[in-house]
Amino acid sequence: IWWLDPELTYGNAKPFVFTQGHSVCNRSFFPCFDTPAVKCTYSATVKAPAGVQVLMSATQSTYLEEEGVYQFYMEYPVPAYLVALVAGDLIHADIGPRSRVWAEPCLLPTAISKLSGMVERWLTAAESLYGPYIWGRYDIVFLPPSFPIVAMENPCLTFIISSILESDEFLIIDVIHEVAHSWFGNAVTNATWEEMWLSEGLATYAQRRITTETYGAAFTCLETAFRLDALHRQMKLLGEDNPVSKLQVKLEPGVNPSNLMNLFTYEKGYCFVYYLSQLCGDPRHFDSFLRAYIEKYKFTSVVAQDLLDSFLNFFPELKEQCVESKAGLEFERWLNATGPPLAEPDLSQGSSLTRPVEMLFKLWTTEPLDSAAAASSVDLTKWRTFQTVLFLDRLLDGSPLPHEVIKKLSECYSSQLDSMNAEIRIRWLQIVVRNDYYPDLYKVRRFLENQMSRMYTIPLYEDLCTGTLKSFALEIFYQTQNQLHPNLRKTIQQILSQGLNPLPAIDTTAVTTDTPAMVLEDKVSEATNGAISLRDVNVSA
């Protein structure tokens, strides 16, 4: 349960509270069987002060104004982690026949402009693929930047971090992913957190089928290329034999399942589901199977064998061909082998969008550098966001770059990137930090002074503390810590404390003498060190 003082909201007007149950946190909210294997209906009575709007992930709600009491009822069985509550200075607007958006008053116009009419379009596309939307309403609430992840698929009421509103393409993908969860994850749920890919891999596949139907194959292939790049980046960080790269991960006693939430859950899971769809020959045949799968198992929890047995029974000709035992692509190997996906999708339909990225990256990284040719070859302001972040991610992978290259990159692009969305800006600033490019460091300070969300602060602090700029990071943190949620503040303190001598030895010469004292953790716990960093990517539950 996250309690926020008014200062941690956008409007600074009223306190705010929200819950985040995924994956095993709702045991601190109410007594429950906190496992996805158990589903039930629920009802709730919530009393709140006048002027505080309360919402829950429920199909029915009433408000008794004279008593200040809200009553909620979820008529369909859900696992405990999908029970969610939010309360604060929230107002709403309808954006479709079965959808409305909730946000703080200062944010509502932006939310309306970005989503009006869009959600119904996505729901209709999903229904054409996977059958009726069974939850009644699909509402969205935008939460303050303290929300610890990007989005959460609470039934009837998707939670999304407000920070993503400025990044249109990321907003589209994140909402469509949560829409897909209405079928895969919410209606049919993984029975154990060791098989989280049953929710995330299938939802990612469905998300890309929906985007293909609504935005075309090229856009879907571009977004997929961006995510698979991130998967391979994480693979290099972790090593190919790391057990967390399995689709069926073994949960040791005492390990929080959220620590196992990584890109393999999403993208390796997606690749397996895509491979199954390719075995059918036509993705529409696989859509038909998924509709039957949803109809058979809705409101229940399943294991991987349920999905695979249903698949082979739906396609008896594939069963006769023993596709589950095809050498090198055995279903069992997909589930239990470490390392990258055994097969990846053909993304050639996105080449009109990905080829310019590859060409520009090559121009900037081929020696000797012809900066004039590189600068004149592409106008980044005309690119899609996913093209720009794919380009910047590849520059990040190649950092540190030669000084001449980073200097010319800054001259060509820095002022253009200043006016772009935060997903683009943070990547450029990470390039600045990883290359110790001091002329643009003031932009890093300005960015961190205006960001309160985990997804736009942690990656920069990690990079600052990996290199030679830890004292610069300390100075910014001293000045901004009071605007951060205590949980985020503690995480950044842990990053700052790694590898430090006792506190007096810290170089604080740039910090003013009236700076409030900051408590640094002695060491990051082994559990924290053991968690998987989700740097460079945004992950939606």
Side-chain angles (χ1 to χ4, degrees), residues 277 280-291 314-315:
S277 76
C280 306
D282 185 333
R284 289 173 295 185
H285 295 160
F286 192 64
D287 295 336
S288 298
F289 157 67
L290 289 177
R291 279 197 298 274
F314 194 87
F315 297 105

Side-chain angles (χ1 to χ4, degrees), residues 373-440:
S376 62
S377 64
V378 168
D379 180 358
L380 288 189
T381 62
K382 292 184 168 58
W383 267 12
R384 288 182 172 273
T385 290
F386 278 117
Q387 289 178 288
T388 307
V389 295
L390 184 61
F391 170 61
L392 294 175
D393 274 350
R394 291 185 177 178
L395 290 175
L396 267 171
D397 289 342
S399 293
L401 300 161
H403 181 73
E404 178 194 7
V405 173
I406 187 68
K407 182 173 181 290
K408 291 294 183 182
L409 280 167
S410 178
E411 291 172 2
C412 290
Y413 301 132
S414 186
S415 59
Q416 288 182 36
L417 298 175
D418 281 348
S419 62
M420 295 185 185
N421 64 60
E423 290 291 340
I424 291 172
R425 295 202 314 278
I426 189 175
R427 286 169 168 81
W428 169 246
L429 296 176
Q430 285 185 273
I431 291 170
V432 167
V433 170
R434 291 188 194 182
N435 288 275
D436 293 333
Y437 188 64
Y438 289 93
D440 275 4

